[in-house]
Amino acid sequence: MTKPDITPPPLRNDCFALPAGVNWTPVEDALSLLRDRLTVVAGVETVPLAQATGRILAQEVIAQRSNPPQPNTAVDGYGFAGAAPDGPQVMPLHPGRAAAGIPFDGLVPAGHALRVLTGAALPAGVDTVILEEDVTVQDGHIAFHGPLKRGANTRKAGEDVAEGDAVLPAGRRLTPADLALLSATGLAEVPVRKVLRVAVLSTGDELVEPGESAGPGQIYDANRPMLLSLLERMGFEAVDMGRVPDDREALWTCLNQAAERADVILTSGGASAGDEDHVSALLRQAGAMQDWRIALKPGRPLALGMWDGTPVFGLPGNPVAALVCTLIFARPALGLLAGEGWLEPQGFDVPAAFEKRKKPGRREYLRARVRDGRVEVFASEGSGRISGLSWAEGLVEIEDGARHIQPGDLVRFIPYGSFGL
Ligand code: AMP
Ligand code: MG
């Protein structure tokens, strides 16, 4: 058989450069669009304080009680009416004592001192405390060296939080320390957002489940376990919708089920405009697809759409791109939907341990980690290199313009922890 004489198109020099004449949305603009358009969808429920860690406050919380509720002593020692002047002081010791939870009931006469223990409410006639280590006790008297200011070694009522103060804002994701604050200020239960349910599904004929035997041309589904655990770590409820082949009918059914079971859907794979890119095709068909051409590397393609009123994030199939798109776009968007508000990941400027030339046009995220105060990047930028994701402990963000980074130059490092992982 003779081969037809077809001239292949010439390989273009710029085949990996940005298409000319097409407007790419800068990352910042894409983020502001999401920020402007998405609003909270999670409902509200009340939970006991002990179960509230990691939950998002639905309302501002007001202190029901001051902390501390009354003036008390910050140390073990002796209390009296201050101040005490310069020089040696001797005071008769008043009988009795005040301890935390066991107040002294009575008046301490002027010029007398009472034994007080840390946390004890200051009795009438006491506003100043001398530390026990600085005191000699003998013959029913205490002796110490002045001066001592009025109010020394005591805590004022409400000096930390006053009753009626706003202690935590709506949208706050509660930490263990927040539970201490809420409990101390008299709260036993808190109004929180219902946990946002996020469905995850993988698409691709090539995918098989971990544990199954994989034939030639098949690969294990890497994105789904990653995305499900990412979402759990970020404090959302991950709903596992499994794998779907590159089949429009099957994907249709799966999206319907996901829209019923979850508030948001994350898909991976099939988001470009190719023959087997059924996620974008279906979303386009549903009429609510935004083909986001975001100037981001690694990231293309990202398909955003609505399925039956449920937002769908069509992530790229490449695991590196899927992770970067989730952290940069899906996570702040999910935060808004969940009632957490818009979250800017906290980055740090760290000297680079690498050299890199970057062309203008796209913002880039490199897999990175900090060692000995310098940030290293993974040797390969290949978007299928899953080992680099696992090697990394965060991302280096390089702004949209051109840049030639030399070792020692400051670059922005965003630890995975800043994304809530
Ligand atoms: P796609 O976006 O569907 O064109 O996929 C891009 C690349 O990512 C292909 O090499 C896919 O085989 C790969 N890929 C897609 N989904 C997954 C997945 N869940 N786990 C690992 N690799 C995937
Ligand atoms: Mg695919």
Side-chain angles (χ1 to χ4, degrees), residues 203-206 246 269-270 276-277:
T203 71
D205 284 340
E206 72 278 33
D246 288 317
E276 295 299 341
D277 291 321

Side-chain angles (χ1 to χ4, degrees), residues 6-22:
I6 304 174
T7 318
L11 196 62
R12 291 159 48 133
N13 233 343
D14 62 348
C15 63
F16 292 118
L18 296 179
V22 176

Side-chain angles (χ1 to χ4, degrees), residues 46-411:
T46 298
V47 296
L49 199 59
Q51 288 159 30
T53 321
R55 301 298 298 273
I56 300 165
L57 277 182
Q59 290 164 23
E60 178 181 75
V61 173
I62 303 296
Q64 302 300 302
R65 195 173 196 230
S66 295
N67 181 51
Q70 69 275 309
N72 65 93
T73 169
V75 298
D76 288 348
Y78 298 86
F80 52 87
D86 207 359
Q89 308 293 323
V90 177
M91 288 180 190
L93 198 51
H94 193 71
R97 61 167 212 174
I102 312 170
F104 176 79
D105 196 14
L107 173 78
V108 179
H112 292 235
L114 182 80
R115 174 71 169 143
V116 294
L117 300 176
T118 305
L122 296 184
V126 171
D127 61 13
T128 304
V129 173
I130 177 84
L131 198 64
E132 72 177 15
E133 286 87 336
D134 295 340
V135 169
T136 310
V137 186
Q138 205 181 307
D139 302 331
H141 286 71
I142 64 164
F144 63 93
H145 287 283
L148 202 63
K149 280 190 196 144
R150 181 188 303 278
N153 298 313
T154 66
R155 306 167 178 141
K156 293 184 189 62
E159 69 174 19
D160 181 25
V161 179
E163 183 185 328
D165 277 357
V167 281
L168 290 170
R172 168 83 173 185
R173 201 181 269 278
L174 294 171
T175 66
D178 292 340
L179 298 203
L181 179 59
L182 292 170
S183 182
T185 51
L187 285 123
E189 48 184 33
V190 278
V192 293
R193 292 284 170 191
K194 289 189 174 153
V195 180
L196 190 79
R197 297 161 308 167
V198 187
V200 175
L201 59 110
S202 293
T203 71
D205 284 340
E206 72 278 33
L207 301 179
V208 289
E209 200 67 10
E212 285 176 1
S213 65
Q218 293 188 309
I219 59 170
Y220 290 112
D221 183 355
N223 290 343
R224 212 165 92 251
M226 172 174 75
L227 294 172
L228 289 168
S229 80
L230 269 175
L231 291 165
E232 295 282 356
R233 278 273 181 104
M234 291 174 177
F236 305 114
E237 182 187 331
V239 181
D240 187 359
M241 300 302 299
R243 284 171 296 109
V244 190
D246 288 317
D247 172 276
R248 221 160 279 197
E249 203 90 342
L251 185 58
W252 179 284
T253 310
C254 191
L255 285 174
N256 283 343
Q257 287 167 353
E260 245 178 51
R261 290 179 58 189
D263 306 302
V264 194
I265 304 169
L266 296 190
T267 66
S268 72
S272 313
D275 297 347
E276 295 299 341
D277 291 321
H278 301 290
V279 173
S280 47
L282 274 182
L283 288 175
R284 203 172 292 116
Q285 198 175 314
M289 154 89 175
Q290 292 295 325
D291 240 325
W292 285 46
R293 301 171 63 79
I294 300 171
L296 169 77
K297 184 184 169 187
R300 300 184 263 191
L302 184 64
L304 297 185
M306 297 294 282
W307 190 264
D308 223 357
T310 305
V312 181
F313 282 80
L315 301 166
N318 277 310
V320 178
L323 181 77
V324 168
C325 283
T326 304
L327 299 183
I328 303 303
F329 293 104
R331 194 247 180 179
L334 293 174
L336 265 190
L337 296 166
E340 205 173 355
W342 186 263
L343 303 161
E344 300 277 354
Q346 177 70 54
F348 305 90
D349 288 337
V350 183
F354 61 93
E355 199 210 333
K356 180 183 165 65
R357 265 179 211 281
K358 178 188 169 291
K359 291 189 194 145
R362 285 206 272 168
R363 183 178 293 186
E364 283 194 34
Y365 290 93
L366 308 175
R367 284 150 281 173
R369 65 182 193 186
V370 174
R371 289 290 181 274
D372 301 323
R374 287 152 73 88
V375 59
E376 307 172 344
V377 294
F378 191 60
S380 160
E381 291 182 17
S383 159
R385 300 284 187 104
I386 303 174
S387 62
L389 282 181
S390 157
W391 172 93
E393 294 165 7
L395 301 173
V396 158
E397 179 182 70
I398 312 177
E399 58 272 37
D400 308 20
R403 192 156 172 207
H404 183 192
I405 297 163
Q406 308 268 16
D409 289 354
L410 291 180
V411 291

